[in-house]
Amino acid sequence: MELVIKNLSKTYANGVQALNNVSLTIPQGMFGLLGPNGAGKSSLMRTIATLQSADEGSIHLGNLDVMANNEELRKVLGYLPQDFGVYPRVSAEMMLDHIARLKGIHNREERKAAVEILLQKVNLYKERKRNLGTYSGGMKQRFGIAQALLGSPKLLIVDEPTAGLDPAERNRFYNLLSEIGDNTIVILSTHIVEDVTTLCKNFAVICGGEVMLEGAPRQAMHLLDGKIWAKAIHKSELEAHRSQHRVIATQLVEGKLSIRIVSEENPGNGFEQVTSNLEDVYFNAIQSKMDLVTL
Ligand code: ADP
């Protein structure tokens, strides 16, 4: 089964066009939706999750016309929104039991078993009696995944799940997500390239509401092979370099600025060729749009 999105567009009442003719085919497994803040990721996720409508376009999950069958889609959907709030004075176990009931698991024993399995899976079983308000950010996200997985969804949407997690929590979360079977379509939206390289078989880059790039990270990371050049400069030289070259990344290393540029030819002038990576490809893909944003 695939999720097929065709020509999706959305302009909000304030005139912001969040989605501009987005078409994507999302197979089973982990799919990364990568883009900077304001790219349109949440707008796309919410539209797929049937929480908001689009002005134009279609979404099909297998044979299911999502826009015409919101209720059917919701039965097979697991969703972890970006601003996932929890009831602070309820325990994880009680909350999951409640959500399981809402998701239609009416048999008490069946519900208890499903909740227990999920608590084990997300490694919160020992903490199941604790109120959610006492959980750390990482624990809340793991709880969020548990609630999203209730009812064995065919489509799982997680919106910026690693934002705000410390490295250890992020790692745990990666491990958890990577265990979700290949039989589920998982869409993971993120602005962190590492999320995509670590987890995703396929991905797309979205910026300014448009799909800039789509493919497999392992292949995409080679798109700029032979065209990435790096050099350490003084901060004051940056603007001059920007006017001459396509600067796609700047990073401070020991007080000096290391810059990376895209160039078909050897730019000389102290630049050295370096191996390209997915971050280069990502920043190059969004740069034209970002230029427009910063102008
Ligand atoms: P992302 O998730 O990639 O950060 P969003 O989909 O949240 O991007 O936002 C895309 C654009 O749409 C942004 O310019 C944002 O300010 C705007 N936007 C998002 N939601 C709304 C809304 N409900 N009303 C008006 N503008 C919105």
Side-chain angles (χ1 to χ4, degrees), residues 162-174:
T162 63
L165 298 190
D166 68 34
E169 282 178 333
R170 175 172 300 166
N171 235 340
R172 256 198 187 163
F173 198 71
Y174 282 162

Side-chain angles (χ1 to χ4, degrees), residues 166-265:
D166 68 34
E169 282 178 333
R170 175 172 300 166
N171 235 340
R172 256 198 187 163
F173 198 71
Y174 282 162
N175 282 326
L176 173 59
L177 281 183
S178 67
E179 279 169 20
I180 296 167
D182 278 344
N183 302 330
T184 311
I185 300 173
V186 185
I187 309 177
L188 170 104
S189 96
T190 182
H191 62 272
I192 301 167
V193 176
E194 190 198 350
D195 289 355
V196 173
T197 33
T198 313
L199 292 171
C200 300
K201 267 202 306 204
N202 297 287
F203 82 120
V205 172
I206 177 171
C207 192
E210 288 180 43
V211 176
M212 312 300 291
L213 185 73
E214 192 180 355
R218 277 167 179 277
Q219 283 155 11
M221 71 209 283
H222 295 298
L223 282 174
L224 293 174
D225 275 356
K227 296 180 191 166
I228 302 294
W229 307 81
K231 182 182 168 184
I233 60 167
H234 191 269
K235 269 190 275 184
S236 60
E237 299 168 316
L238 181 60
E239 279 320 303
H241 279 85
R242 276 200 201 280
S243 63
Q244 280 176 29
H245 303 289
R246 187 174 172 81
V247 179
I248 53 163
T250 60
Q251 194 189 10
L252 268 175
V253 182
E254 294 171 359
K256 275 213 124 186
L257 200 57
S258 170
I259 63 170
R260 292 166 84 90
I261 67 166
V262 183
S263 173
E264 300 278 338
E265 314 275 314

Side-chain angles (χ1 to χ4, degrees), residues 5 8 17-24 26 31-45 47-48 159-160 187-191 196 203-215 281-283 285-287 289-290:
I5 298 164
L8 209 62
Q17 183 166 28
L19 299 173
N20 183 3
N21 207 20
V22 169
S23 295
L24 285 172
I26 303 184
F31 186 93
L33 189 66
L34 181 63
N37 285 334
K41 303 183 294 298
S42 294
S43 299
L44 181 56
M45 316 257 94
T47 311
I48 299 169
D159 197 352
E160 299 261 0
I187 309 177
L188 170 104
S189 96
T190 182
H191 62 272
V196 173
F203 82 120
V205 172
I206 177 171
C207 192
E210 288 180 43
V211 176
M212 312 300 291
L213 185 73
E214 192 180 355
V281 171
Y282 169 56
F283 285 125
I286 65 171
Q287 182 143 59
K289 290 272 169 191
M290 297 306 272

